Amino acid sequence: MNISNNKPYFTGKELEYIADAIKRGSVSGDGYYTRLVTSFIQERFKAKAVFMTTSGTHALEMACMLADLKPGDEVIMPSYTFPSAANAVMMMGARPVFADISEDTLNIDPEDAAKKVTARTKAIMPVHYGGISCDMDKINEIANKNSLYVIEDAAQAVNSAYNGKYLGTVGHFGCYSFHGTKNITSGEGGALLINSDDPEIIRRAGIIRQKGTNREDFLKGDSKRYCWVGTGSSYSPSDILMALLYSQFLELDRIEKRREFIYNYYSMVLKRFADAGVIRTMLIPAWCKPNYHLFFLILRNESERDSVMHELNMRGIGAAIHFVPLHSSPMGIKLGYKPENLKITERAANCLLRLPMHPGLTQEELDTISANLSDILGEL
Ligand SMILES: *Cc1c(COP(=O)(O)O)cnc(C)c1O
């Protein structure tokens, strides 16, 4: 048996929707399905303005442009994340400043983030790891006190909520990803949420996304000529991909239910090992409604983690590590960081193990994972 860690899940309706986009001749950006999926996100997540993008990375880049980051500016973010957030900041000539994480959720530690604020800090980028919400009241408090933008990297957190508010709508900007590894996918894709009523920033977002043109005003009839009005790039996804995404969104609840089942199953299997202190399992804080994006456990040390992973992999079970911390990656070292600068991040990255998590897992596969995992953990 070979059980993969992650596998894109298809509901069976995708081809029908893709064929319809093609039949409509709607293949470039901002067509029929882009409008449908934009309103879906707006209504379902109560987002003020939504811009579909070609990736989560591009949504982060747009947020950095809209926050007007300049050379010399600093942006605080966790080191335990994917490189996209740091790249988006660096492409503006600004500097990522890495904060440590909380041991229980592996999300940015608000106290450490607060300590890293300087006169140059312009924004803070909380990452909702595994779809579990950061402590957003504390993050927003730091931001308000220091006049910072809050850019939520909600790439993994579509349909998760913080105290009843959907993630991506809690800060100034929210960035979603619909990459093939995420809960809902268009293969590659993303969205930028702007939580503001300011028509100027929303207009600027439209220009940045449409190659520096006034295409949005022009299509609305607010402008006579379609022309170059500012700087920007090409961030609007093909309508074919948005048709695929829309078909997946219609099944959002069903997809999430299956993930929830898998999450609860693993929790049940692992409870006795967690109680015995052999492992730690994920914590879902009371403020969070999760989307069950990942299931991870934390072993007592790196060598136990490596041996459990190796054993599971040998038995055909796709257990995996996750992020290599940014601060101790080759690029982080170039920026002047040392691994020991962020101790909790290093330890978590070295001891974390992700179990297979995707809606396609069968009960037979889950039972196989459970039996092997119990067997291996029982030996520790
Ligand atoms: C997936 C992911 C991204 C990047 O999203 P893409 O759509 O692949 O560009 C950024 N940040 C985090 C935390 C992610 O998990």
Side-chain angles (χ1 to χ4, degrees):
M1 192 174 298
N2 217 333
I3 306 172
S4 54
N5 185 269
N6 196 351
K7 204 156 88 180
Y9 178 73
F10 297 112
T11 67
K13 291 279 178 61
E14 286 82 2
L15 288 175
E16 187 187 310
Y17 281 81
I18 291 169
D20 186 60
I22 293 171
K23 247 183 256 151
R24 287 171 190 276
S26 190
V27 297
S28 349
D30 288 337
Y32 179 78
Y33 282 104
T34 307
R35 285 193 292 279
L36 277 186
V37 83
T38 304
S39 342
F40 184 98
I41 292 175
Q42 225 159 355
E43 282 157 29
R44 167 109 191 191
F45 303 133
K46 301 189 176 56
K48 285 186 171 158
V50 176
F51 291 88
M52 301 312 296
T53 59
T54 30
S55 67
T57 303
H58 285 165
L60 287 162
E61 288 177 16
M62 280 186 69
C64 288
M65 290 182 210
L66 290 165
D68 219 4
L69 294 185
K70 297 242 171 2
D73 288 345
E74 296 174 354
V75 177
I76 298 170
M77 65 180 69
S79 160
Y80 194 65
T81 187
F82 193 70
S84 295
N87 278 331
V89 166
M90 290 191 66
M91 283 170 73
M92 302 297 291
R95 188 179 162 85
V97 172
F98 299 119
D100 219 335
I101 49 178
S102 307
E103 201 144 32
D104 47 8
T105 56
L106 312 192
N107 281 331
I108 192 165
D109 171 7
E111 263 148 51
D112 195 47
K115 280 189 213 145
K116 304 225 149 120
V117 175
T118 71
R120 293 199 204 109
T121 312
K122 191 85 171 275
I124 180 163
M125 278 184 162
V127 178
H128 305 296
Y129 180 63
I132 305 292
S133 166
C134 295
D135 187 346
M136 290 308 291
D137 279 354
K138 285 204 186 137
I139 304 277
N140 282 340
E141 193 186 307
I142 298 165
N144 289 338
K145 209 167 106 194
N146 299 285
S147 307
L148 311 178
Y149 281 110
V150 176
I151 302 172
E152 292 180 74
D153 182 340
Q156 302 183 0
V158 175
N159 206 38
S160 290
Y162 172 76
N163 283 335
K165 274 189 98 167
Y166 283 100
L167 297 183
T169 72
V170 188
H172 298 96
F173 301 101
C175 303
Y176 288 167
S177 168
F178 303 112
H179 183 263
T181 53
K182 305 302 201 276
N183 291 19
I184 298 288
T185 184
S186 53
E188 300 280 355
L192 173 69
L193 280 60
I194 304 180
N195 306 307
S196 163
D197 293 316
D198 177 6
E200 195 41 44
I201 193 158
I202 289 163
R203 189 169 164 270
R204 269 178 60 216
I207 292 168
I208 289 172
R209 183 169 161 280
Q210 280 292 355
K211 301 120 188 155
T213 68
N214 63 349
R215 186 166 188 274
E216 298 219 340
D217 283 350
F218 175 73
L219 292 179
K220 272 189 256 157
D222 293 348
S223 180
K224 278 207 206 75
R225 290 186 311 160
Y226 172 35
C227 60
W228 184 29
V229 293
T231 52
S233 191
S234 181
Y235 292 133
S236 83
S238 160
D239 213 47
I240 299 174
L241 292 181
M242 294 299 98
L244 164 54
L245 186 63
Y246 186 65
S247 74
Q248 292 238 317
F249 261 121
L250 296 177
E251 300 280 333
L252 176 60
D253 293 323
R254 199 164 64 77
I255 290 172
E256 196 169 289
K257 267 254 137 8
R258 182 68 192 154
R259 289 180 166 272
E260 182 180 6
F261 175 85
I262 296 166
Y263 180 94
N264 289 333
Y265 180 84
Y266 284 147
S267 300
M268 185 191 68
V269 168
L270 291 171
K271 186 169 183 311
R272 65 189 168 105
F273 297 104
D275 290 346
V278 176
I279 56 163
R280 278 196 296 123
T281 45
M282 292 173 69
L283 173 95
I284 301 176
W287 61 62
C288 176
K289 181 210 87 78
N291 67 353
Y292 306 100
H293 177 59
L294 299 179
F295 191 97
F296 67 80
L297 46 131
I298 311 260
L299 281 297
R300 286 178 297 209
N301 54 56
E302 187 174 5
S303 78
E304 285 190 351
R305 190 275 308 270
D306 288 349
S307 84
V308 172
M309 181 164 74
H310 180 73
E311 273 300 317
L312 286 168
N313 291 346
M314 291 293 286
R315 301 176 192 201
I317 297 165
I321 63 167
H322 209 183
F323 300 129
V324 176
L326 301 182
H327 81 283
S328 54
S329 295
M331 188 62 198
I333 302 292
K334 255 194 225 169
L335 291 175
Y337 284 92
K338 297 193 179 70
E340 60 271 25
N341 290 149
L342 301 171
K343 292 204 168 62
I344 300 171
T345 300
E346 278 297 297
R347 194 163 63 230
N350 290 338
C351 300
L352 175 139
L353 190 65
R354 283 182 301 150
L355 297 182
M357 171 55 105
H358 56 88
L361 286 171
T362 64
Q363 190 58 48
E364 192 196 352
E365 288 174 323
L366 288 175
D367 292 340
T368 303
I369 298 167
S370 152
N372 283 287
L373 196 56
S374 301
D375 182 32
I376 295 164
L377 291 177
E379 296 285 309
L380 294 183

Coordinates of all heavy atoms in Angstrom, one line a residue, residues 192-257:
L192 N -7.0 37.8 -3.0 CA -6.6 38.9 -2.0 C -7.9 39.5 -1.5 O -8.8 39.9 -2.3 CB -5.8 40.0 -2.7 CG -5.6 41.2 -1.8 CD1 -4.6 40.9 -0.7 CD2 -5.0 42.4 -2.7
L193 N -8.1 39.5 -0.2 CA -9.2 40.1 0.5 C -8.8 41.5 1.0 O -7.7 41.5 1.7 CB -9.8 39.2 1.6 CG -10.7 38.1 1.2 CD1 -10.0 37.1 0.3 CD2 -11.2 37.3 2.4
I194 N -9.6 42.5 0.7 CA -9.2 43.8 1.3 C -10.4 44.2 2.2 O -11.5 44.3 1.8 CB -9.0 44.9 0.2 CG1 -8.0 44.4 -0.8 CG2 -8.6 46.2 0.8 CD1 -7.7 45.3 -2.0
N195 N -10.0 44.4 3.5 CA -11.0 44.6 4.5 C -11.2 46.1 4.7 O -10.9 46.6 5.8 CB -10.7 43.8 5.7 CG -10.6 42.4 5.4 OD1 -11.4 41.8 4.7 ND2 -9.4 41.8 5.7
S196 N -11.5 46.9 3.7 CA -11.6 48.3 3.8 C -12.7 48.8 2.9 O -13.0 48.2 1.9 CB -10.2 48.9 3.3 OG -10.4 50.3 3.1
D197 N -13.3 49.9 3.3 CA -14.3 50.6 2.5 C -13.7 51.7 1.6 O -14.4 52.3 0.9 CB -15.4 51.1 3.4 CG -16.2 50.0 4.1 OD1 -16.5 49.0 3.4 OD2 -16.4 50.2 5.3
D198 N -12.4 51.9 1.8 CA -11.8 53.0 1.1 C -11.8 52.7 -0.4 O -11.0 51.8 -0.9 CB -10.4 53.2 1.6 CG -9.6 54.2 0.9 OD1 -10.2 54.9 0.0 OD2 -8.4 54.4 1.2
P199 N -12.5 53.5 -1.2 CA -12.6 53.1 -2.7 C -11.2 53.3 -3.4 O -11.0 52.7 -4.4 CB -13.6 54.2 -3.2 CG -13.8 55.2 -2.2 CD -13.4 54.6 -0.9
E200 N -10.4 54.2 -2.8 CA -9.1 54.4 -3.4 C -8.2 53.2 -3.4 O -7.6 52.8 -4.4 CB -8.4 55.6 -2.7 CG -7.3 56.2 -3.5 CD -7.5 56.3 -5.0 OE1 -8.6 56.7 -5.5 OE2 -6.5 55.9 -5.7
I201 N -8.2 52.5 -2.3 CA -7.3 51.3 -2.2 C -7.8 50.2 -3.0 O -7.1 49.4 -3.7 CB -7.1 50.9 -0.7 CG1 -5.9 49.9 -0.6 CG2 -8.3 50.3 0.0 CD1 -5.3 49.8 0.8
I202 N -9.2 50.1 -3.1 CA -9.8 49.1 -3.9 C -9.5 49.3 -5.4 O -9.2 48.4 -6.2 CB -11.3 49.0 -3.6 CG1 -11.4 48.3 -2.2 CG2 -12.0 48.1 -4.6 CD1 -12.7 48.5 -1.5
R203 N -9.5 50.6 -5.8 CA -9.2 51.0 -7.2 C -7.8 50.7 -7.5 O -7.5 50.1 -8.5 CB -9.5 52.5 -7.3 CG -9.5 52.9 -8.8 CD -10.0 54.3 -9.0 NE -9.5 54.7 -10.3 CZ -8.4 55.4 -10.5 NH1 -7.7 55.7 -9.5 NH2 -8.0 55.7 -11.8
R204 N -6.9 51.0 -6.5 CA -5.5 50.7 -6.8 C -5.2 49.2 -6.9 O -4.4 48.8 -7.7 CB -4.6 51.2 -5.6 CG -4.1 52.6 -5.8 CD -3.4 53.1 -4.6 NE -2.2 52.3 -4.3 CZ -1.7 52.0 -3.0 NH1 -2.4 52.5 -2.0 NH2 -0.7 51.3 -2.9
A205 N -5.9 48.4 -6.1 CA -5.8 46.9 -6.2 C -6.2 46.5 -7.6 O -5.5 45.6 -8.2 CB -6.6 46.2 -5.2
G206 N -7.3 47.0 -8.2 CA -7.7 46.7 -9.5 C -6.7 47.0 -10.6 O -6.5 46.3 -11.5
I207 N -6.0 48.2 -10.4 CA -5.0 48.6 -11.3 C -3.7 47.7 -11.2 O -3.2 47.2 -12.3 CB -4.6 50.1 -11.1 CG1 -5.8 51.0 -11.4 CG2 -3.3 50.5 -11.8 CD1 -5.6 52.4 -10.9
I208 N -3.3 47.4 -10.0 CA -2.1 46.5 -9.8 C -2.4 45.2 -10.4 O -1.5 44.6 -11.1 CB -1.8 46.4 -8.3 CG1 -1.2 47.7 -7.8 CG2 -0.8 45.2 -8.1 CD1 -1.0 47.7 -6.3
R209 N -3.6 44.7 -10.3 CA -3.9 43.3 -10.7 C -4.0 43.2 -12.2 O -3.8 42.2 -12.8 CB -5.2 42.9 -10.0 CG -5.6 41.5 -10.3 CD -6.8 41.1 -9.4 NE -7.6 40.0 -9.8 CZ -8.6 40.1 -10.7 NH1 -8.8 41.3 -11.3 NH2 -9.2 39.1 -11.0
Q210 N -4.4 44.4 -12.9 CA -4.7 44.4 -14.3 C -3.6 45.2 -15.0 O -3.9 46.1 -15.7 CB -6.0 44.9 -14.6 CG -7.2 43.9 -14.4 CD -7.1 42.8 -15.5 OE1 -6.3 42.8 -16.4 NE2 -8.0 41.8 -15.3
K211 N -2.3 44.8 -14.8 CA -1.2 45.3 -15.6 C -1.0 46.8 -15.6 O -0.6 47.4 -16.6 CB -1.3 44.8 -17.1 CG -1.3 43.3 -17.2 CD -2.6 42.8 -17.9 CE -2.8 41.3 -17.9 NZ -4.2 40.9 -18.0
G212 N -1.4 47.4 -14.5 CA -1.3 48.8 -14.4 C -2.3 49.6 -15.3 O -2.0 50.8 -15.6
T213 N -3.4 48.9 -15.6 CA -4.4 49.6 -16.5 C -5.6 49.9 -15.7 O -5.8 49.4 -14.6 CB -4.8 48.8 -17.7 OG1 -5.5 47.6 -17.2 CG2 -3.6 48.3 -18.5
N214 N -6.5 50.8 -16.3 CA -7.8 51.1 -15.7 C -8.9 50.2 -16.2 O -10.0 50.6 -16.3 CB -8.1 52.6 -16.0 CG -8.3 52.8 -17.5 OD1 -7.9 51.9 -18.3 ND2 -8.8 53.9 -17.8
R215 N -8.5 48.9 -16.5 CA -9.4 48.0 -17.1 C -10.7 47.9 -16.3 O -11.8 47.9 -16.9 CB -8.8 46.6 -17.2 CG -9.7 45.6 -18.0 CD -8.9 44.4 -18.4 NE -9.6 43.5 -19.3 CZ -10.5 42.6 -18.9 NH1 -10.7 42.5 -17.6 NH2 -11.2 41.9 -19.7
E216 N -10.6 47.9 -15.0 CA -11.9 47.7 -14.2 C -12.8 48.9 -14.3 O -14.0 48.8 -14.5 CB -11.5 47.5 -12.7 CG -10.7 46.3 -12.5 CD -11.0 45.5 -11.2 OE1 -11.6 46.1 -10.3 OE2 -10.7 44.3 -11.2
D217 N -12.2 50.2 -14.3 CA -13.1 51.4 -14.5 C -13.7 51.4 -15.9 O -14.8 51.7 -16.1 CB -12.2 52.6 -14.3 CG -11.9 52.9 -12.8 OD1 -12.5 52.2 -12.0 OD2 -11.1 53.8 -12.5
F218 N -12.8 51.0 -16.8 CA -13.3 51.0 -18.2 C -14.5 50.0 -18.5 O -15.5 50.4 -19.1 CB -12.1 50.6 -19.1 CG -12.4 50.4 -20.6 CD1 -12.6 51.5 -21.4 CD2 -12.4 49.2 -21.1 CE1 -12.9 51.4 -22.7 CE2 -12.7 49.0 -22.5 CZ -13.0 50.1 -23.3
L219 N -14.4 48.8 -17.9 CA -15.4 47.9 -18.0 C -16.7 48.3 -17.3 O -17.8 48.0 -17.8 CB -15.0 46.5 -17.5 CG -13.9 45.8 -18.4 CD1 -13.6 44.4 -17.8 CD2 -14.3 45.6 -19.8
K220 N -16.6 49.0 -16.2 CA -17.7 49.5 -15.5 C -18.3 50.8 -16.2 O -19.4 51.2 -15.8 CB -17.3 49.9 -14.1 CG -17.4 48.8 -13.1 CD -17.2 49.3 -11.7 CE -15.8 49.0 -11.2 NZ -15.3 49.7 -10.1
G221 N -17.6 51.3 -17.2 CA -18.1 52.5 -17.9 C -17.7 53.8 -17.2 O -18.1 54.8 -17.6
D222 N -16.8 53.6 -16.2 CA -16.4 54.9 -15.5 C -15.2 55.6 -16.2 O -14.8 56.7 -15.8 CB -15.9 54.5 -14.1 CG -17.0 54.0 -13.2 OD1 -18.2 54.2 -13.6 OD2 -16.8 53.4 -12.1
S223 N -14.7 54.9 -17.2 CA -13.6 55.6 -18.0 C -13.8 55.3 -19.5 O -14.2 54.2 -19.8 CB -12.3 55.0 -17.5 OG -11.2 55.6 -18.2
K224 N -13.5 56.3 -20.3 CA -13.7 56.1 -21.7 C -12.7 55.3 -22.4 O -13.0 54.6 -23.4 CB -13.8 57.5 -22.4 CG -15.2 58.2 -22.3 CD -15.4 59.2 -23.4 CE -16.3 60.3 -23.1 NZ -15.7 61.3 -22.2
R225 N -11.5 55.4 -21.9 CA -10.4 54.7 -22.6 C -9.7 53.7 -21.7 O -9.5 54.0 -20.5 CB -9.3 55.7 -23.1 CG -9.9 56.6 -24.3 CD -8.8 57.4 -24.8 NE -8.1 58.1 -23.7 CZ -6.8 58.7 -23.9 NH1 -6.2 58.6 -25.0 NH2 -6.3 59.3 -22.9
Y226 N -9.3 52.6 -22.3 CA -8.6 51.5 -21.6 C -7.1 51.8 -21.7 O -6.6 51.7 -22.8 CB -9.0 50.2 -22.2 CG -8.3 48.9 -21.8 CD1 -7.8 48.8 -20.5 CD2 -8.1 47.9 -22.7 CE1 -7.2 47.6 -20.1 CE2 -7.4 46.7 -22.3 CZ -7.0 46.6 -21.0 OH -6.3 45.5 -20.6
C227 N -6.5 52.2 -20.7 CA -5.1 52.6 -20.8 C -4.2 52.4 -19.6 O -4.7 52.0 -18.5 CB -5.0 54.1 -21.3 SG -5.8 55.2 -20.1
W228 N -3.0 52.8 -19.8 CA -2.0 52.6 -18.7 C -2.1 53.8 -17.7 O -2.1 54.9 -18.0 CB -0.6 52.7 -19.3 CG 0.6 52.4 -18.4 CD1 0.6 51.7 -17.3 CD2 1.9 52.9 -18.6 NE1 1.8 51.7 -16.7 CE2 2.6 52.4 -17.5 CE3 2.5 53.7 -19.5 CZ2 4.0 52.7 -17.3 CZ3 3.9 54.0 -19.4 CH2 4.6 53.5 -18.2
V229 N -2.3 53.4 -16.4 CA -2.5 54.5 -15.4 C -1.6 54.3 -14.2 O -1.5 55.2 -13.4 CB -4.0 54.5 -14.9 CG1 -5.0 54.9 -15.9 CG2 -4.4 53.2 -14.3
G230 N -0.9 53.2 -14.1 CA 0.0 53.1 -12.9 C 0.9 51.8 -13.1 O 1.0 51.3 -14.2
T231 N 1.6 51.4 -12.0 CA 2.4 50.2 -12.2 C 1.5 49.0 -11.7 O 0.6 49.2 -10.9 CB 3.6 50.3 -11.3 OG1 3.3 50.6 -10.0 CG2 4.6 51.3 -11.8
G232 N 1.9 47.9 -12.2 CA 1.1 46.7 -11.8 C 1.7 45.5 -12.6 O 2.7 45.5 -13.2
S233 N 0.9 44.4 -12.4 CA 1.4 43.2 -13.1 C 0.2 42.4 -13.6 O -0.9 42.9 -13.6 CB 2.2 42.3 -12.1 OG 2.9 41.3 -12.9
S234 N 0.3 41.1 -13.9 CA -0.8 40.3 -14.4 C -1.1 39.3 -13.4 O -0.5 38.2 -13.3 CB -0.3 39.7 -15.7 OG -1.3 38.9 -16.3
Y235 N -2.1 39.6 -12.6 CA -2.5 38.7 -11.4 C -3.9 38.1 -11.5 O -4.4 37.5 -10.6 CB -2.3 39.5 -10.1 CG -1.0 39.9 -9.7 CD1 -0.7 41.2 -9.3 CD2 0.1 38.9 -9.7 CE1 0.6 41.5 -8.9 CE2 1.4 39.3 -9.3 CZ 1.6 40.6 -8.9 OH 2.9 40.9 -8.5
S236 N -4.5 38.3 -12.7 CA -5.9 37.7 -12.7 C -5.9 36.4 -13.4 O -5.3 36.2 -14.4 CB -6.9 38.7 -13.4 OG -6.8 38.6 -14.8
P237 N -6.5 35.4 -12.7 CA -6.4 34.0 -13.2 C -7.3 33.7 -14.4 O -8.4 34.4 -14.5 CB -6.8 33.2 -12.0 CG -7.7 34.1 -11.2 CD -7.2 35.5 -11.5
S238 N -7.0 32.7 -15.1 CA -7.9 32.3 -16.2 C -9.2 31.9 -15.7 O -9.4 31.2 -14.7 CB -7.2 31.1 -17.0 OG -8.2 30.4 -17.7
D239 N -10.3 32.2 -16.5 CA -11.6 31.8 -16.1 C -11.8 30.3 -16.0 O -12.7 29.8 -15.4 CB -12.7 32.5 -17.0 CG -13.9 32.8 -16.2 OD1 -13.9 33.4 -15.1 OD2 -15.0 32.5 -16.7
I240 N -11.0 29.6 -16.8 CA -11.1 28.1 -16.8 C -10.8 27.6 -15.4 O -11.5 26.7 -14.9 CB -10.1 27.5 -17.8 CG1 -10.5 28.0 -19.2 CG2 -10.2 26.0 -17.8 CD1 -9.5 27.5 -20.3
L241 N -9.7 28.2 -14.8 CA -9.4 27.8 -13.4 C -10.4 28.2 -12.4 O -10.7 27.5 -11.5 CB -8.0 28.4 -13.1 CG -6.8 27.8 -13.8 CD1 -5.5 28.5 -13.4 CD2 -6.7 26.3 -13.6
M242 N -11.0 29.4 -12.7 CA -12.1 29.8 -11.7 C -13.3 29.0 -11.8 O -14.0 28.8 -10.9 CB -12.4 31.3 -12.0 CG -11.2 32.2 -11.7 SD -10.6 32.1 -9.9 CE -9.2 31.0 -10.0
A243 N -13.6 28.4 -13.0 CA -14.7 27.4 -13.1 C -14.4 26.2 -12.3 O -15.3 25.7 -11.6 CB -14.9 27.1 -14.6
L244 N -13.2 25.7 -12.4 CA -12.7 24.6 -11.6 C -12.9 24.9 -10.1 O -13.4 24.1 -9.3 CB -11.3 24.2 -11.9 CG -10.5 23.3 -11.0 CD1 -11.1 22.0 -10.7 CD2 -9.1 23.1 -11.7
L245 N -12.4 26.1 -9.7 CA -12.5 26.5 -8.3 C -13.9 26.6 -7.8 O -14.2 26.2 -6.7 CB -11.8 27.9 -8.1 CG -11.6 28.4 -6.7 CD1 -10.8 27.4 -5.9 CD2 -11.0 29.7 -6.7
Y246 N -14.8 27.2 -8.7 CA -16.2 27.4 -8.3 C -16.8 26.0 -8.0 O -17.5 25.8 -7.0 CB -16.9 28.1 -9.4 CG -18.3 28.5 -9.0 CD1 -18.6 29.3 -7.9 CD2 -19.4 27.9 -9.6 CE1 -19.9 29.6 -7.5 CE2 -20.7 28.2 -9.2 CZ -20.9 29.1 -8.2 OH -22.2 29.3 -7.8
S247 N -16.5 25.0 -8.9 CA -17.1 23.7 -8.7 C -16.7 23.1 -7.3 O -17.4 22.4 -6.7 CB -16.8 22.8 -9.8 OG -15.4 22.4 -9.7
Q248 N -15.5 23.4 -6.9 CA -15.0 22.9 -5.6 C -15.6 23.7 -4.5 O -16.0 23.0 -3.4 CB -13.4 23.1 -5.5 CG -12.7 22.2 -6.5 CD -11.7 21.3 -5.8 OE1 -11.0 21.7 -4.9 NE2 -11.7 20.0 -6.2
F249 N -15.8 25.0 -4.6 CA -16.4 25.8 -3.5 C -17.8 25.3 -3.2 O -18.2 25.3 -2.1 CB -16.4 27.2 -3.9 CG -15.3 28.0 -3.2 CD1 -14.3 28.7 -3.9 CD2 -15.2 28.0 -1.8 CE1 -13.3 29.4 -3.3 CE2 -14.1 28.7 -1.1 CZ -13.2 29.4 -1.9
L250 N -18.5 24.8 -4.3 CA -19.9 24.3 -4.0 C -19.9 23.1 -3.1 O -20.9 22.8 -2.5 CB -20.6 24.0 -5.4 CG -20.8 25.2 -6.3 CD1 -21.4 24.8 -7.6 CD2 -21.6 26.3 -5.6
E251 N -18.7 22.4 -3.0 CA -18.6 21.2 -2.2 C -17.8 21.5 -0.9 O -17.4 20.5 -0.3 CB -18.0 20.1 -3.0 CG -18.7 19.7 -4.3 CD -19.9 18.8 -4.0 OE1 -19.9 18.1 -3.0 OE2 -20.8 18.8 -4.8
L252 N -17.6 22.7 -0.6 CA -16.8 23.1 0.5 C -17.1 22.4 1.8 O -16.3 21.8 2.5 CB -16.8 24.6 0.7 CG -16.1 25.2 1.9 CD1 -14.6 24.9 1.8 CD2 -16.3 26.7 1.9
D253 N -18.4 22.3 2.1 CA -18.8 21.8 3.4 C -18.6 20.3 3.5 O -18.1 19.7 4.5 CB -20.3 22.1 3.7 CG -20.5 23.6 3.9 OD1 -19.6 24.2 4.5 OD2 -21.5 24.1 3.4
R254 N -18.8 19.6 2.3 CA -18.6 18.2 2.3 C -17.2 17.8 2.4 O -16.8 16.9 3.1 CB -19.2 17.6 1.0 CG -19.5 16.1 1.0 CD -20.4 15.7 -0.1 NE -19.8 15.9 -1.5 CZ -18.9 15.1 -2.0 NH1 -18.5 14.1 -1.3 NH2 -18.4 15.4 -3.2
I255 N -16.3 18.6 1.7 CA -14.9 18.3 1.7 C -14.4 18.5 3.2 O -13.6 17.7 3.7 CB -14.2 19.3 0.7 CG1 -14.5 18.9 -0.7 CG2 -12.7 19.4 1.0 CD1 -14.0 19.9 -1.8
E256 N -14.9 19.6 3.8 CA -14.4 19.9 5.2 C -14.8 18.8 6.2 O -14.1 18.5 7.1 CB -14.8 21.3 5.6 CG -14.0 21.7 6.8 CD -14.2 23.2 7.1 OE1 -13.7 24.0 6.3 OE2 -14.8 23.5 8.1
K257 N -16.1 18.3 6.0 CA -16.6 17.3 6.9 C -15.7 16.0 6.9 O -15.4 15.4 7.9 CB -18.0 16.9 6.4 CG -19.1 17.6 7.1 CD -19.8 16.7 8.1 CE -20.2 17.4 9.5 NZ -20.0 18.7 9.7

